[in-house]
Amino acid sequence: MHLPDPRDGDLEDDASSTSHHSLLGHASRMLLEISLPKLVLAAVLLLVVPAVLLGAAPKIALWFSQAVWNQVSDFGRILSVLAFCAIAGLVAWRWGAGLFLVVERNFWALNAGLVQPLYMAVRELVRLAIEAAWRRGTLSGTRRVAGLVAGALIALAAAAIAWRAGPLPTVLVDDLTPAVLAQALRDSLNNGIWFIAVYLMIGAPAWSIAEALAGTPQDLSPEPGTPHWRVAHLSDIHMVGDRYGFRLECGRDGPRGNESVDRTLAAIEAEDARQKIDWVLITGDITDAGRNAEFIAFDEAMAAHPGLRDRVLVIPGNHDVNIVDRANPARLELPIGPGGALRRGRMLSAMARLQGGRVHVMDHKRRRIGPTLDGFLAAEGRGAALTGFMNQGGVRAGLRARNIWNDAFPMVVPPATPDGLGVLLLDSNAETHFSFTNALGLVGAAQLHAAEAAMAQFPAARWLIALHHHLVEYPRPGASLAERIGTALVNGHWVLQRLRRVAPRIVALHGHRHVDWMGRCGAVRILSAPSPVMGTPDGEGRYFWLHGLAPAADGGLALLAPRRVAVPGPHPRA
C-alpha cells in the first residue's frame, strides 16, 4: 500500500509556483481573490489622484492668473513672487531630498507601469514579425531594429490619443455648483490623459533610443590567470521558515527546507580550506518572503559556518522586501500601510547582525564614506526608532523607518589599501504594494551618486558593485515576455550609462533571474549568479561560481576564468 509522504508536499505547495502556473494563470485566479474595496482605494491613491492633480494644474494656474494675479498691484505681485521664492526655498531646504525621492519614484513608476511594458510588448511583436520575414538576422540585431520601430509606433498611437483628447479643456471654474465641479473633474481627467499621451510620445522613442545606445550585450570569456582576490557569488537562496517548507516561486520543483543552502555553504568552506576566499557575496533574495522565521533561519545558517560568517556580504532582494503575503499573491497593501517598512526593517536588522561592523554607510551631505552600519543605526536614535516602529507601528514612525532605510544605501566595504578591492552594496528594489508586481527594480539617483562618490574617494581602487536586478537583457532567447517585463531594472539604461564612466575598475554582480551569465555591455562587465535552491529539483546539477580577480596592468580590474563548484545532493532519506 502506497501513501503520500507529507515531506514531499502536495498541490497546495505549488499554489504560487511560476513553474507550475503561468503568470497569466496567476493573474486570472487572483482576480477572484483581490479585495475590490482595497483595489479601488489603491487605484485612487496611485493613479486617479495623480492624474487629476496633473490635469488640474493648468486649470489652477490659469484660474490664479485671471482671478487673482491680474487683480493685484505691481507691488503686490513683486511681494507675491518674493514670498513664493522664499517658501519654495524653505521647502527645498527642509524637505527637498524627500520630495525629490517621491518625484523620482513616481516618475519611474509611470515608466514601469506604462512605458516599459507597452514598449516591450510592441517590440516583441515587431521582433517576431521581423524574424518571420527575415530569418538570417541575429537576436540582438532584430531586437535593436524592433525597439526603434516599436518606439515610433507607440509615439504615433500616443499622438493620435493626444489629438483626440485635446485641445485642453477650459480651465475656468465659474462657480462651485456640483455640475460645474463635476465638469471640472472630467476636464482634469481629460487633461491627465492628454499629458500621459504626450509623455508616451516622448518617452517611448526615448526608451527605444536609450536601449539602442546602451549597446548589445555580449557573452564574455574571462582569461585564465592567478587570482589575487577570490569571491564566491551566490544569489536567491530563498530561506524558508520551517524544515520542510517549499519556496513559493518554485513549489515542489525546488528543494525542501534549507538543507541545500547549508550544503552550499559547506562546499564554500571546503573551497576556502584549499585556498582562501576573500568574500562570499549573496546578491539578494536572502529569504523567501521577508518573514521573521526566515531571517532567523538565515541567522542560524550563518552561525553554523562561523569560518565564513565574517566574509559574507548580503544585499536585499525583491523577496526580502516586496512580497506582501507569502500565501496569497493577490493581497494588496495600501501605500500608507506598514508592511513595506516592516519588511525593510527586518532586512536592515539582519544586515546589521551579519555585517554591521564591517560595512559603512555614506554621509550623503558630505559625499564621503561615513560610519559603519552599526554606528549609523546607533546615531540619532535610528536603531531605537526602527525598533519602536517594528513593535508599535504608526504612520510617522513608518516614514522615519523608510528614511533610515534609504539613507543606509549604498553600503560600502572600503578597500584595504588605496589600490585594493572594495565592495558597493546597492538596494535595487522598487517599492511596490502588490506581491504580483514585486520583482521590478530601481536604483535611485541619490544612491548611485553616493556610490560614485565612494569610488571617487579611492580613485586607484577596484570595485565590485552588487545589486539584485539585472542591468540588461541577456543575449539569448528563452525568457517569457511576462518575465522580462515583470523583473526588469526599470532605469537600467541610465545606471549602465553611469557605470561606463568607471568600467575598467568595476565588475557588476547580480542575481534575481536564477540563471548564470557572464558578459559585458559595452565596457561594463556583468556577472549573474545561479540560485542553489531554485530552477531544478534538489540535487540536480546545482552549482555556484567562484570568481577570480586581479589588478590589471592599466590600473583596472581583471576578471579571470572562474571555477564552477558543484553543490552536493541531499543524503538519502530514511
Side-chain angles (χ1 to χ4, degrees):
M1 180 178 181
H2 180 76
L3 293 175
D5 188 332
R7 292 174 294 182
D8 290 332
D10 52 37
L11 286 174
E12 189 175 47
D13 295 292
D14 299 330
S16 297
S17 169
T18 54
S19 58
H20 284 263
H21 309 285
S22 69
L23 292 181
L24 181 60
H26 278 303
S28 61
R29 283 193 300 275
M30 284 190 293
L31 288 175
L32 302 175
E33 301 178 24
I34 288 175
S35 168
L36 290 180
K38 186 179 286 187
L39 179 63
V40 169
L41 181 56
V44 168
L45 292 174
L46 295 173
L47 298 176
V48 177
V49 170
V52 169
L53 291 176
L54 186 64
K59 301 175 75 69
I60 296 172
L62 199 54
W63 169 83
F64 179 82
S65 173
Q66 296 188 2
V68 179
W69 187 254
N70 293 332
Q71 306 301 319
V72 299
S73 65
D74 291 341
F75 180 71
R77 293 175 186 174
I78 294 173
L79 287 180
S80 299
V81 170
L82 292 176
F84 175 81
C85 292
I87 294 172
L90 177 63
V91 170
W93 174 76
R94 181 64 180 85
W95 298 288
L99 290 174
F100 175 80
L101 186 60
V102 171
V103 172
E104 180 186 42
R105 284 179 174 171
N106 281 277
F107 170 77
W108 288 112
L110 174 62
N111 282 277
L114 181 64
V115 180
Q116 186 236 10
L118 182 60
Y119 165 76
M120 292 190 73
V122 176
R123 188 197 71 182
E124 291 302 296
L125 291 174
V126 174
R127 181 178 67 84
L128 292 174
I130 293 175
E131 289 176 347
W134 186 47
R135 298 184 179 277
R136 292 181 297 174
T138 63
L139 176 64
S140 59
T142 54
R143 274 186 182 173
R144 190 183 309 112
V145 173
L148 294 172
V149 172
L153 290 176
I154 295 171
L156 289 174
I161 294 173
W163 179 81
R164 180 67 180 83
L168 296 183
T170 176
V171 293
L172 296 179
V173 179
D174 297 323
D175 56 60
L176 299 179
T177 61
V180 172
L181 291 178
Q183 183 60 44
L185 179 61
R186 288 192 294 270
D187 291 346
S188 296
L189 284 173
N190 192 77
N191 288 355
I193 293 171
W194 185 88
F195 278 118
I196 291 174
V198 170
Y199 179 74
L200 267 177
M201 288 173 53
I202 301 170
W207 197 282
S208 65
I209 293 170
E211 185 176 72
L213 294 177
T216 302
Q218 297 177 337
D219 293 333
L220 178 66
S221 298
E223 297 294 329
T226 302
H228 186 80
W229 301 287
R230 300 206 321 152
V231 178
H233 184 196
L234 306 177
S235 195
D236 298 81
I237 59 176
H238 286 257
M239 302 293 290
V240 292
D242 56 274
R243 182 179 179 187
Y244 293 107
F246 290 94
R247 274 80 186 167
L248 66 90
E249 208 169 284
C250 60
R252 290 175 292 170
D253 283 350
R256 295 187 316 275
N258 300 317
E259 292 180 2
S260 183
V261 177
D262 187 71
R263 295 195 302 272
T264 302
L265 294 173
I268 296 175
E269 280 187 328
E271 289 294 326
D272 184 59
R274 296 188 188 98
Q275 184 180 352
K276 183 177 180 295
I277 294 174
D278 295 275
W279 299 111
V280 179
L281 192 57
I282 309 179
T283 49
D285 281 359
I286 309 305
T287 66
D288 201 41
R291 307 296 298 171
N292 273 325
E294 296 166 350
F295 282 113
I296 293 171
F298 175 68
D299 289 346
E300 291 178 346
M302 292 295 99
H305 300 274
L308 292 179
R309 188 182 185 280
D310 288 342
R311 285 171 283 166
V312 174
L313 297 171
V314 301
I315 59 172
N318 59 293
H319 276 253
D320 302 311
V321 298
N322 278 339
I323 296 292
V324 174
D325 190 326
R326 190 182 193 280
N328 180 15
R331 185 181 167 197
L332 179 70
E333 283 181 335
L334 294 178
I336 58 174
L342 191 60
R343 291 187 295 274
R344 283 166 173 77
R346 292 173 189 150
M347 183 68 202
L348 190 58
S349 298
M351 297 177 81
R353 290 192 298 271
L354 175 70
Q355 59 201 33
R358 296 182 283 123
V359 302
H360 293 251
V361 301
M362 290 295 294
D363 184 331
H364 289 264
K365 292 182 179 178
R366 298 176 58 232
R367 296 181 62 80
R368 303 281 294 176
I369 296 175
T372 63
L373 177 57
D374 284 345
F376 168 78
L377 292 175
E380 300 180 17
R382 295 187 182 95
L386 196 63
T387 301
F389 164 73
M390 295 176 71
N391 286 332
Q392 301 175 2
V395 175
R396 291 184 61 186
L399 292 174
R400 174 92 192 273
R402 281 183 167 88
N403 289 335
I404 292 171
W405 171 269
N406 293 331
D407 291 343
F409 290 94
M411 296 182 189
V412 186
V413 180
T417 60
D419 60 349
L421 180 67
V423 185
L424 285 165
L425 307 173
L426 305 184
D427 168 33
S428 63
N429 296 283
E431 190 168 343
T432 66
H433 312 284
F434 189 26
S435 288
F436 195 59
T437 59
N438 73 85
L440 287 171
L442 172 68
V443 176
Q447 184 181 181
L448 192 56
H449 291 159
E452 292 170 340
M455 288 187 281
Q457 196 170 334
F458 292 88
R462 292 88 174 176
W463 295 89
L464 302 178
I465 299 182
L467 69 166
H468 184 57
H469 292 75
H470 50 288
L471 290 163
V472 293
E473 289 187 51
Y474 307 148
R476 61 176 72 161
S480 66
L481 175 62
E483 183 180 349
R484 289 199 299 274
I485 291 175
T487 64
L489 183 67
V490 180
N491 63 341
H493 299 146
W494 176 75
V495 176
L496 189 63
Q497 182 266 333
R498 302 289 300 194
L499 293 182
R500 281 184 173 149
R501 304 178 182 190
V502 290
R505 297 195 289 132
I506 68 168
V507 171
L509 303 96
H510 72 85
H512 192 43
R513 293 290 293 273
H514 304 165
V515 296
D516 64 331
W517 180 64
M518 301 177 201
R520 65 168 65 243
C521 190
V524 179
R525 293 160 294 178
I526 304 169
L527 304 176
S528 173
S531 168
V533 297
M534 304 287 280
T536 59
D538 203 2
E540 293 188 10
R542 300 189 181 279
Y543 61 95
F544 62 89
W545 289 103
L546 189 55
H547 292 286
L549 304 118
D554 60 358
L557 178 62
L559 179 63
L560 307 179
R563 174 179 168 81
R564 188 179 189 271
V565 182
V567 177
H571 297 297
R573 190 194 304 172

